[in-house]
Amino acid sequence: MSNDRNPPEQSTLIVSSVDPTGGNSGQRARLISVAGPELGRQFLLDQETVIGRSPDCHIQLAAAGVSRQHCVIRAINSGFEVEDLGSTNHTRINDQVVERQVLADGDRIRLGRSVLKFVAADSPDAAFHDDLAAAPRFDQSTGLYSVTYLQEQLGDALQEASSSPEPSSGGVLVITLDKTAELREQIGIAGTSRLLGQIAARLTTRLGERDIAARYSEFSLVVLVSGTTDQTLDQLAETLCELIAGSAYELGQREIGVSASIGICAFDLRINDPETMLIGAVRAAEKARSDGGRRCLVYRPRVSGDAPDQDERALLGLLQAALQRNSIQVLFQPAVSIADSDTAHYQLLPRLLTDDDQLIPAARFVPLAERHDKIRELDLWMSVRATKVLDEQLGQGRQLRLFVSQSSASLPDRVRFETLAGRLKPAAREQRLLVFEFARDDVLAHLKTARQLLPRLRELGLGVSISGISDQARPVDLLSHVPADYFKLAPDFARRMIGNQELTEIFNALVAQAHKGEAQVIVPMVENAETMSRLWTSKADLLQGNFIQQPMQTPDFSL
């Protein structure tokens, strides 16, 4: 269905707090934003309500992944139904994709990164949301902060945690009472508010001065823990869970005991928005409660190697965590020398390890690192790793040459290369056994800086390789500007020239130009026997590709 829909003329009342003069609002169905930029806002529903990113919609949502006209909610005889309007990212009810579905009280409608909770006109939660909307910063019945305020503080805490060089010990705890249906029947809404207030008072004795407790829903609290000292976040949650279950609560003439389930979401570099943390902790709490209650469950973000369209923020967080924890995986792909050589050649390839133990290739996260100013940090990490590997292998009497790719962001980083060269053994510098590879386009785009750095690298005893050479980008174009020890063909040129006489002649001319400048030529992407046999008799110097050998995590350098 097309989403080019004109909204109905009748206007829907959209409020950030329920308007007490808005037609007896407590008796009207509404949507509550429980995740997204509009967190905490309430939207009263009319006969037909169009929701989307467009300002023409009755309810406009600013979250990522929301289509211009995403869905419509209509009043029907039995209540309300939602219909997707051909949105790009679909409409989900309780995490299930739907085209059209009747809404039940408490249903969660996910539109992109926004989540709206449907509250029916006769819902037991309606009065609670009326009270909450009357004082947006504080929950009147408990005196706790509202979740809107907590989310603001959580955003600041997330930013602080992501910028800190040390892992944070804090996070979010969502505390949900067990057996809510029985509690509502026994003590009612007013009693529930007093109960949560008493629970919060007990919890504060175990929380830090900077921790913030807020009311999240009728039966749940959320706690922002800035950091723990004497115990982990998991241990704190277990302590609070037992504290709640081990206490008695006075409600009028009655004294009752309750238990709670706690969802835990620690600060994690793979999470950089408050909504994801809150939703993750809520889901963990709900799962703990459905598993029997009085228990704690941790939400951990997962990055899968099978998802080509992985959330960019999750992938960036995975990279940041790997850099911080020194856990980037490195593969070694050999390059075979056509001439007899006692030196083994290896290219170092960075990989990220996912939660399902798969390796994400550099092509998926290097562009992300460039966009978010993490590429220099990645370059540094790889160059330091190469230096250590080379030093270890030379110490064991093994002769090998390592190639490490570097970005244009490292071209001005002269001091770093000088420092690395100073750590190498004299034998490594004499033979330039550590080679830094730069893309041809980067060199030409930053030619002045490259002309300052690349000759200096060779003076320091470091090798220089330039990749991306093809019939359109020849070595002679670069040798007049910068020196190089190696030229690597562009992968597409290496594939195209096989069986093409004209390109083969161009290739032979490229090799001659490189050799005249005392540089060697590397041919990548050797993927089959035919390519291997043709190139073996060519004038290339090094061949590289999966047909020769696939990248390895633990190569036997002794071979």
Coordinates of all heavy atoms in Angstrom, one line a residue, residues 42 52 62 77 93 129 154 227 271 303 349 399 429 459 480 493 521 534 542 558:
Q42 N 2.3 11.9 25.6 CA 1.0 11.2 25.4 C 0.2 11.8 24.2 O 0.2 13.0 24.0 CB 0.2 11.2 26.7 CG 0.9 10.7 27.9 CD -0.1 10.5 29.1 OE1 -1.3 10.3 28.9 NE2 0.5 10.6 30.3
G52 N 3.7 9.4 11.5 CA 4.8 9.3 10.6 C 5.8 10.4 10.9 O 5.7 11.2 11.8
A62 N 10.1 11.8 15.3 CA 11.4 12.2 14.8 C 12.5 11.1 14.8 O 13.6 11.3 14.3 CB 12.0 13.4 15.6
N77 N -15.5 -0.7 15.9 CA -16.5 -1.0 16.9 C -15.9 -1.7 18.1 O -16.4 -1.4 19.2 CB -17.6 -2.0 16.3 CG -18.4 -1.2 15.2 OD1 -18.6 0.0 15.3 ND2 -19.0 -2.0 14.3
I93 N 3.9 -4.9 16.1 CA 3.1 -5.0 17.3 C 3.8 -6.0 18.2 O 3.8 -7.2 17.8 CB 1.6 -5.3 17.1 CG1 1.0 -4.3 16.1 CG2 0.9 -5.3 18.4 CD1 1.0 -2.9 16.5
H129 N -1.4 7.4 34.0 CA -0.8 8.2 33.0 C -1.4 9.7 33.1 O -0.7 10.6 32.8 CB -1.0 7.6 31.6 CG -0.2 6.4 31.4 ND1 1.2 6.5 31.3 CD2 -0.6 5.1 31.2 CE1 1.6 5.3 31.0 NE2 0.6 4.4 31.0
L154 N 20.4 10.0 31.4 CA 21.0 8.8 30.8 C 21.8 9.1 29.5 O 22.9 8.6 29.3 CB 20.0 7.7 30.5 CG 20.4 6.4 29.8 CD1 21.5 5.8 30.6 CD2 19.2 5.5 29.6
G227 N 27.8 4.3 38.5 CA 28.9 3.5 38.6 C 28.9 2.8 39.9 O 28.5 3.3 40.9
I271 N 26.1 0.3 22.5 CA 24.8 1.0 22.7 C 25.2 2.5 23.0 O 25.9 2.8 23.9 CB 24.1 0.5 24.0 CG1 23.8 -1.0 23.8 CG2 22.7 1.2 24.1 CD1 23.2 -1.6 25.1
V303 N 25.8 -8.3 18.1 CA 26.2 -8.0 16.7 C 26.5 -9.3 16.0 O 27.3 -10.0 16.4 CB 27.4 -7.0 16.7 CG1 27.8 -6.7 15.3 CG2 27.1 -5.8 17.5
L349 N 45.2 -8.2 8.1 CA 43.9 -7.8 7.8 C 43.1 -7.8 9.1 O 43.0 -8.8 9.8 CB 43.2 -8.9 6.8 CG 43.9 -9.2 5.5 CD1 43.3 -10.3 4.8 CD2 44.0 -7.9 4.6
Q399 N 62.4 -15.1 9.1 CA 62.5 -13.9 8.2 C 61.2 -13.7 7.5 O 60.7 -14.6 6.7 CB 63.6 -14.2 7.1 CG 63.9 -13.0 6.2 CD 64.9 -12.0 6.8 OE1 65.2 -12.1 8.0 NE2 65.4 -11.1 6.0
R429 N 64.8 -2.9 9.9 CA 65.0 -1.6 9.2 C 65.9 -1.7 8.0 O 65.6 -1.1 7.0 CB 65.5 -0.6 10.2 CG 64.5 -0.3 11.4 CD 64.9 1.0 12.1 NE 66.3 1.0 12.6 CZ 66.6 0.6 13.8 NH1 65.6 0.1 14.6 NH2 67.8 0.6 14.2
E459 N 63.6 6.4 4.7 CA 64.8 6.8 5.5 C 64.9 6.1 6.8 O 66.0 5.7 7.3 CB 64.9 8.3 5.7 CG 65.1 9.1 4.4 CD 65.0 10.6 4.7 OE1 64.8 11.0 5.9 OE2 65.1 11.4 3.8
S480 N 57.2 9.9 -10.0 CA 57.8 11.2 -10.2 C 57.6 12.1 -9.0 O 58.2 13.2 -8.8 CB 57.2 11.9 -11.4 OG 55.8 12.0 -11.3
F493 N 41.4 -4.5 -11.9 CA 42.3 -4.6 -13.0 C 42.9 -6.0 -13.1 O 43.1 -6.6 -14.1 CB 43.4 -3.5 -12.8 CG 44.4 -3.5 -13.9 CD1 44.0 -3.5 -15.3 CD2 45.8 -3.6 -13.7 CE1 45.0 -3.5 -16.3 CE2 46.7 -3.6 -14.7 CZ 46.3 -3.6 -16.0
V521 N 56.0 -5.4 -7.9 CA 54.5 -5.4 -8.2 C 53.8 -6.6 -7.6 O 54.3 -7.7 -7.7 CB 54.3 -5.4 -9.8 CG1 52.8 -5.5 -10.1 CG2 54.9 -4.2 -10.4
R534 N 48.7 -18.2 -15.5 CA 49.1 -17.1 -16.4 C 50.0 -16.1 -15.7 O 51.0 -15.6 -16.3 CB 47.8 -16.3 -16.8 CG 46.9 -17.1 -17.8 CD 45.7 -16.3 -18.1 NE 44.8 -17.0 -19.1 CZ 44.9 -16.8 -20.4 NH1 45.8 -16.0 -20.9 NH2 44.1 -17.5 -21.2
L542 N 55.0 -10.5 -6.7 CA 54.2 -11.2 -5.6 C 52.8 -11.5 -6.1 O 52.2 -10.6 -6.7 CB 54.3 -10.4 -4.4 CG 55.6 -10.2 -3.7 CD1 55.6 -9.0 -2.7 CD2 56.1 -11.4 -3.0
S558 N 57.0 -20.6 10.6 CA 58.2 -21.4 10.4 C 58.3 -22.1 9.1 O 59.4 -22.5 8.7 CB 58.3 -22.4 11.5 OG 57.2 -23.4 11.4

